[in-house]
Amino acid sequence: MSETPHLSGPFRVGDRVQLTGPKGRMHTITLRDQGELHTHNGVLKHELLVGAPDGSVVTNSSGHDYLAVRPLLRDFVMSMPRGAAIVYPKDAAQILAQADIFPGATVVEAGVGSGALSLWLLRAIGPAGRLLSFERREEFAEVARANVETFHGEHPATWDVIVGDLVESLPDAVAPASVDRIVLDMLAPWECIDAAADALTPGGVVLCYIATATQLSRVAEYIRATGLFTEPDASETMVRGWHVEGLAVRPDHRMVAHTGFLITARRLAPGAIPPEVKRRASKSSYGDEDVELWTPGAVGDREITDKNLRKRVREAQKSAEGVRQSVAGAASGEHGSTA
């Protein structure tokens, strides 16, 4: 038995399984020896799933059928405990594409939040890459660690979580010009642009994920003012689902619209001066009144209460502990059967 949950093949003890039952109700479980799922529709024994192929249908004690599949990463991040708001899958996909996260890359992210983006980045860099995640709040870091461990079954060897300020901690964590990609998910990313410029290798990408147009304006102007990057490129992503049933083909009534802006730029080689970009005159300077609009409160920073955050930490750690116990139990059973 492997010490980590499997992402394909027949279900094994320690794997996470997403069950869709009567009326579309979903349950996500971690398979355990002698485990059972109890609902008002009856009891489903975990042993029915062990050894079954992904995509199977099993029947519980009351005759109700359940479709069993492994949860996709997008399913996991949307349902995991949160200490801070997560990066939604539609934005995570664009971050991987626009920042060109590749296998073996050295990537820095700040802040780590609840670990959603960390999971996507870890998958993209592969076993030969390295991800350094910076987070100012220990509580958020704990939630992220627990969520990532729940999904992987262990703390990934390619991942380091550093609790502290990026500007202060990054120079001690990496050598100058050694980082391939930097992703900044924070209220004031312009405060970290100089540190990012020092850490990035020539041609490396800095990407900022921000919520408001005022933040977008300021970080773009700061990147331009350094003279160390290419012209910044900004975008947002909106996803609209479609209802498709026979000839009834129409857009869904609801859609995932604005969640944030992405702005990217590439590090120039030392001493390089990019060709001048001709653009129409605009108000590129800002004063004290403009800065006031970029304060955390003005841009919509929402504080989570300490009580609520402690609850999220407990939920995430409980989930991670459940996976650890399942993996340990499966490993113990295997050793016992081969003894």
Side-chain angles (χ1 to χ4, degrees):
M1 176 72 186
S2 170
E3 294 188 355
T4 60
H6 299 82
L7 299 180
S8 64
F11 294 125
R12 282 162 277 195
V13 172
D15 288 353
R16 293 176 64 82
V17 180
Q18 182 175 283
L19 298 167
T20 304
K23 299 181 180 180
R25 178 74 182 273
M26 284 187 177
H27 302 273
T28 301
I29 62 174
T30 299
L31 294 182
R32 298 184 176 89
D33 286 326
Q34 301 181 352
E36 296 179 338
L37 170 66
H38 291 258
T39 71
H40 66 278
N41 288 316
V43 179
L44 179 66
K45 294 182 180 295
H46 289 198
E47 64 187 29
L48 295 176
L49 292 163
V50 176
D54 202 339
S56 295
V57 175
V58 292
T59 305
N60 74 355
S61 60
S62 299
H64 293 285
D65 292 334
Y66 285 81
L67 171 64
V69 296
R70 284 186 174 83
L72 303 176
L73 180 51
R74 69 177 186 182
D75 300 324
F76 179 81
V77 299
M78 293 301 293
S79 62
M80 69 187 192
R82 303 179 188 180
I86 66 167
V87 174
Y88 281 82
K90 74 179 183 70
D91 293 320
Q94 286 297 311
I95 288 171
L96 298 185
Q98 294 189 30
D100 190 40
I101 309 297
F102 59 89
T106 297
V107 180
V108 168
E109 70 160 335
V112 69
S114 297
L117 182 59
S118 304
L119 284 164
W120 292 105
L121 293 172
L122 285 166
R123 174 170 286 182
I125 64 174
R130 182 189 181 197
L131 174 63
L132 294 90
S133 300
F134 291 82
E135 175 55 56
R136 290 180 175 179
R137 299 188 61 172
E138 175 63 37
E139 299 92 338
F140 288 171
E142 285 296 321
V143 172
R145 290 190 190 101
N147 284 332
V148 171
E149 184 173 334
T150 296
F151 187 80
H152 284 271
E154 60 184 357
H155 186 97
T158 55
W159 189 41
D160 294 305
V161 181
I162 301 172
V163 178
D165 183 84
L166 176 80
V167 174
E168 298 175 357
S169 304
L170 186 58
D172 295 328
V174 300
S178 65
V179 175
D180 297 302
R181 308 290 186 257
I182 294 181
V183 180
L184 303 176
D185 175 14
M186 56 180 59
L187 281 168
W190 50 87
E191 296 176 352
C192 300
I193 294 300
D194 292 325
D198 291 338
L200 279 171
T201 186
V205 178
V206 61
L207 181 147
C208 303
Y209 178 61
I210 42 186
T212 71
T214 48
Q215 290 171 298
L216 181 65
S217 173
R218 185 167 183 181
V219 72
E221 293 305 325
Y222 195 99
I223 289 173
R224 290 189 182 107
T226 65
L228 301 174
F229 294 90
T230 59
E231 176 67 11
D233 181 52
S235 65
E236 67 174 332
T237 304
M238 292 177 280
V239 174
R240 183 173 71 174
W242 278 70
H243 171 87
V244 181
E245 187 174 344
L247 295 179
V249 180
R250 56 169 175 75
D252 285 341
H253 296 305
R254 301 180 62 185
M255 67 177 290
V256 182
H258 176 78
T259 49
F261 296 103
L262 301 181
I263 182 168
T264 61
R266 301 191 67 178
R267 181 65 164 94
L268 296 171
I273 300 176
E276 183 178 355
V277 177
K278 295 183 179 180
R279 61 172 73 91
R280 293 180 181 178
S282 64
K283 183 182 178 183
S284 59
S285 61
Y286 48 87
D288 293 339
E289 292 182 359
D290 299 304
V291 172
E292 180 63 25
L293 295 175
W294 290 317
T295 58
V299 298
D301 183 24
R302 287 182 253 178
E303 289 290 333
I304 185 172
T305 65
D306 290 339
K307 180 180 179 181
N308 200 348
L309 182 54
R310 288 194 296 270
K311 178 182 178 183
R312 305 292 176 83
V313 172
R314 290 195 300 271
E315 289 176 351
Q317 291 177 336
K318 181 180 179 181
S319 180
E321 179 60 26
V323 171
R324 283 195 292 268
Q325 291 178 357
S326 295
V327 170
S332 175
E334 182 185 65
H335 295 325
S337 64
T338 57

